[in-house]
């Protein structure tokens, strides 16, 4: 059956990275379309009228929005390769809990480090606490999913490409505070799906520096 | 593990707690309801949900499950052979149900809550506009998801019905407090009919708080804002 899969995305988006990774893990071929977030395409606005945000996954003309929901959709639509979510109900609920935690806590706090004037120090401190909570959940496991790379790993790993940003503008060293998490990230990067999905850290940092100038924060 | 060994930590007034209660009713799962006292958190709650320290928490055996929509899915997955499925079987329809449930929590309910706290006329107007836009989205979502049946989930109540329906008592309390009809039959006829059907469902009736009782409670926790 001819499948048409389009991903509307933005190169630096840690949410977009989730979908690139998920599709790659499932060996699904897709058409990647870069959006200019400051000049959104009519397709994006048509496919996500409620939030007008990327990533948007368009499968045979039908849009799926919200990255965690998209990962689950991908897992259910292409179930044969590399299951992304556990099959056990309790383990599934546990994975969803931690992905939800990441969505509720990580981005909101991390953003304050570089985008909110005067809040850098406080936000950086909170951010480290959040990472430590995640590190504690990881424990000595290879991945959040234990032996299998999956949903929670995918939910978090994109932020690793932004660690340089948080370290620079928050004046922190994530490596010294959360070395186990850094080790986890490096294990994830050994996977082709992750290595291909994440942009270079320096490129992200340069992009954010430019954004800060435009926002009058530099 | 004994299937009847189910406890739910919650409170009668919380719409989020209502969600797993409805789900457990739909699956005919008996459970012990452990009510928290408003204003304080029990040792059990803090131990079972150390990350967020919030209700509801489902305890199955001694394994805690947190976050209301996640608990509902867990109930659906665990007691899959009792009662109809709470989510559609098609992956796209499932994604739609999850999308709208997330929208309800992140946008719609946030707007509803801010209505009770809204001070001046300008603030109220802005919230009304947000809610009307939200209701229009949900009216269309209902038509798309229900495909002519009485509920978002079709013939029976499901995940998305529960995600939205749990707020209906608070919706009524808010309408009374601000003297404004938020769910208007004229503007959202399908959603209004759905609301009536939802409230009359046998799995919902026993756990839906009475409007008067909830209104009293609301006065306590949302003191009148300065105009």
């Amino acid at each position: 059956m001819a499948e048409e899969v389009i991903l509307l995305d933005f190169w630096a988006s840690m949410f977009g990275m989730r979908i690139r990774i998920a599709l790659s893990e499932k060996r699904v071929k897709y058409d990647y379309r870069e959006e200019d977030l400051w000049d959104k395409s009519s397709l994006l606005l048509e496919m996500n009228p409620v939030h007008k945000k990327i990533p948007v996954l368009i499968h045979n003309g039908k849009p799926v929005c919200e990255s965690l929901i998209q990962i689950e959709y991908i897992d259910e639509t292409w179930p044969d390769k590399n299951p992304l979510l556990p099959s056990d109900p309790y383990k599934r609920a546990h994975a969803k809990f931690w992905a939800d935690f990441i969505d509720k806590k990580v981005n909101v706090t991390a953003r304050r480090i570089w985008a909110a004037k005067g809040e850098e120090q406080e936000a950086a401190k909170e951010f480290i606490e959040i990472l430590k909570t995640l590190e504690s959940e990881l424990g000595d496991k290879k991945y959040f999913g234990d032996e299998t790379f999956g949903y929670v790993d995918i939910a978090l790993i994109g932020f690793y490409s932004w660690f340089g940003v948080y370290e620079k503008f928050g004046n922190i060293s994530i490596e010294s505070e959360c070395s186990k998490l850094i080790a986890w990230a490096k294990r994830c990067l050994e996977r082709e799906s992750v290595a291909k999905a994440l942009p270079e850290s320096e490129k992200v940092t340069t992009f954010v520096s430019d954004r800060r100038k435009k926002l009058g924060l530099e | 593990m004994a299937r009847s060994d189910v406890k739910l930590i919650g409170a009668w007034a919380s719409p989020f707690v209502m969600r797993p209660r409805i789900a457990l009713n739909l699956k005919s799962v008996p459970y012990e309801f452990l009510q928290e006292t408003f204003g304080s958190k029990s040792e059990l709650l803090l131990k079972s949900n150390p990350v967020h320290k919030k209700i509801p928490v489902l305890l199955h055996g001694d394994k805690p499950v947190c976050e209301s929509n996640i608990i509902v899915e867990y109930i659906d997955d665990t007691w899959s052979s009792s009662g109809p499925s709470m989510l559609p079987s098609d992956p796209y329809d499932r994604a739609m149900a999850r999308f709208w449930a997330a929208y309800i929590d992140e946008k719609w309910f946030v707007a509803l809550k801010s209505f009770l706290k809204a001070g001046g006329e300008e603030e109220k107007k802005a919230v009304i506009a947000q809610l009307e836009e939200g209701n229009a989205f949900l009216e269309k979502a209902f038509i798309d998801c229900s495909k002519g049946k009485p509920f978002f989930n079709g013939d029976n109540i499901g995940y998305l019905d529960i995600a939205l329906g749990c707020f209906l008592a608070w919706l009524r309390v808010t309408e009374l407090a601000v003297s404004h009809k938020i769910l208007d039959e004229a503007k959202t006829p399908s959603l209004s009919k759905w609301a009536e059907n939802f409230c009359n469902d046998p799995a919902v009736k026993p756990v839906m708080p009475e409007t008067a009782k909830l209104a009293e409670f609301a006065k306590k926790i949302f003191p009148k804002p300065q105009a």
Side-chain angles (χ1 to χ4, degrees):
Chain A
M1 179 176 55
E3 296 260 44
E4 188 200 49
V5 182
I6 297 169
L7 178 65
L8 304 182
D9 198 353
F10 177 68
W11 68 273
S13 164
M14 52 291 256
F15 304 101
M17 288 172 216
R18 293 171 172 178
I19 312 312
R20 292 172 226 163
I21 295 168
L23 289 168
S24 177
E25 287 285 321
K26 296 288 189 177
R27 313 281 187 269
V28 173
K29 288 195 164 58
Y30 65 98
D31 176 10
Y32 177 94
R33 296 202 194 160
E34 185 72 25
E35 282 284 330
D36 176 354
L37 298 184
W38 295 273
D39 185 17
K40 292 177 180 178
S41 73
S42 53
L43 182 64
L44 171 56
L45 299 176
E46 185 200 325
M47 291 285 129
N48 192 357
V50 175
H51 301 299
K52 306 175 174 58
K53 285 179 169 180
I54 55 95
V56 179
L57 182 72
I58 310 172
H59 184 202
N60 295 333
K62 300 203 294 189
V64 183
C65 305
E66 296 299 291
S67 58
L68 293 181
I69 294 172
Q70 289 159 343
I71 300 173
E72 222 174 335
Y73 175 79
I74 290 166
D75 203 31
E76 290 173 2
T77 303
W78 292 281
D80 304 328
K81 288 196 171 58
N82 295 342
L84 304 176
L85 276 137
S87 49
D88 172 71
Y90 187 75
K91 289 182 177 160
R92 282 177 86 84
H94 193 81
K96 285 185 172 194
F97 174 86
W98 285 104
D100 175 72
F101 173 85
I102 290 163
D103 267 8
K104 282 189 167 112
K105 303 275 181 178
V106 177
N107 191 48
V108 174
T109 307
R111 221 192 130 77
R112 279 165 55 214
I113 298 174
W114 66 268
K117 199 164 193 145
E119 289 186 45
E120 307 87 11
Q121 291 314 307
E122 193 196 310
K125 222 174 116 200
E126 274 178 47
F127 182 69
I128 292 292
E129 285 312 305
I130 290 165
L131 290 187
K132 285 190 166 154
T133 303
L134 286 164
E135 207 177 42
S136 162
E137 165 56 23
L138 176 68
D140 291 317
K141 302 198 295 280
K142 183 178 181 188
Y143 300 117
F144 282 92
D146 206 344
E147 282 302 308
T148 322
F149 176 80
Y151 191 70
V152 181
D153 305 283
I154 296 173
L156 185 60
I157 191 60
F159 288 94
Y160 180 71
S161 62
W162 281 70
F163 277 10
V165 170
Y166 310 139
E167 290 184 324
K168 178 174 180 163
F169 300 113
N171 199 28
I172 45 172
S173 162
I174 300 174
E175 168 79 61
S176 60
E177 302 264 16
C178 306
S179 58
K180 272 187 162 173
L181 205 63
I182 299 292
W184 159 83
K186 290 183 173 157
R187 283 195 292 277
C188 291
L189 273 157
E190 287 169 11
R191 297 182 79 84
E192 194 184 342
S193 62
V194 177
K196 283 194 167 157
L198 264 59
E200 301 244 345
S201 190
E202 296 79 50
K203 195 176 170 196
V204 178
T205 308
T206 306
F207 162 71
V208 175
S209 295
D210 286 345
R211 284 297 303 150
R212 280 170 57 91
K213 287 192 187 102
K214 290 195 175 107
L215 291 166
L217 294 164
E218 295 259 324
Chain B
M1 173 161 35
R3 285 272 167 102
S4 57
D5 195 6
V6 180
K7 296 180 173 70
L8 184 72
I9 310 174
W12 67 272
S14 163
F16 301 101
V17 171
M18 252 187 91
R19 290 172 172 172
R21 294 183 81 188
I22 298 169
L24 289 165
N25 286 351
L26 283 169
K27 297 292 188 176
S28 308
V29 175
Y31 65 99
E32 197 186 337
F33 187 43
L34 302 171
Q35 289 226 56
E36 290 285 306
T37 313
F38 181 73
S40 73
K41 292 176 197 236
S42 69
E43 277 298 310
L44 183 63
L45 173 60
L46 298 175
K47 192 184 99 182
S48 310
N49 191 359
V51 174
H52 299 302
K53 307 174 175 54
K54 284 182 174 179
I55 49 163
V57 179
L58 183 80
L59 292 165
H60 191 190
D62 13 316
K63 299 207 291 201
V65 185
C66 307
E67 293 303 300
S68 59
N69 284 333
I70 294 174
I71 300 172
V72 171
E73 279 210 62
Y74 173 77
I75 291 167
D76 197 31
D77 286 344
T78 302
W79 288 278
S80 52
S81 47
S82 333
S85 183
M86 290 194 259
L87 275 164
S89 50
D90 174 72
Y92 189 78
D93 294 337
R94 291 161 76 85
M96 285 304 100
R98 291 176 177 135
F99 173 85
W100 288 113
Y103 170 80
I104 287 160
D105 276 1
E106 284 155 34
K107 298 276 160 95
W108 189 86
F109 178 61
V110 171
L112 182 69
K113 228 167 67 161
S114 67
F115 210 161
L116 275 174
K117 298 187 204 167
E121 279 312 303
E122 280 311 306
E123 226 186 306
K124 284 198 174 136
K125 270 195 193 146
V127 175
I128 288 171
Q130 271 181 298
L131 278 169
E132 294 203 333
E133 185 192 54
N135 287 350
F137 279 138
L138 292 171
E139 174 81 2
K140 180 169 188 303
F142 177 76
I143 293 164
D144 291 342
C145 295
S146 64
K147 306 192 214 296
K149 302 275 171 85
F151 299 109
F152 283 93
N153 197 42
D155 288 313
N156 302 289
I157 278 182
Y159 178 84
L160 183 51
D161 301 280
I162 294 172
L164 181 58
C166 68
F167 293 118
L168 289 170
W170 276 102
L171 183 84
R172 270 185 237 119
V173 164
T174 308
E175 286 180 334
L176 287 171
V178 304
S179 309
H180 178 89
K181 199 137 178 59
I182 299 167
L183 198 62
D184 193 337
E185 300 93 71
K187 293 183 180 156
T188 52
S190 305
L191 214 58
S192 301
K193 183 85 195 115
W194 161 83
E196 201 187 309
N197 289 333
F198 181 85
C199 291
N200 285 327
D201 190 279
V204 174
K205 260 184 159 163
V207 300
M208 180 74 84
E210 285 167 24
T211 309
K213 192 177 172 195
L214 197 61
E216 268 312 299
F217 180 73
K219 282 198 191 114
K220 253 188 2 198
I221 63 170
F222 292 115
K224 215 162 167 65
Q226 310 289 4

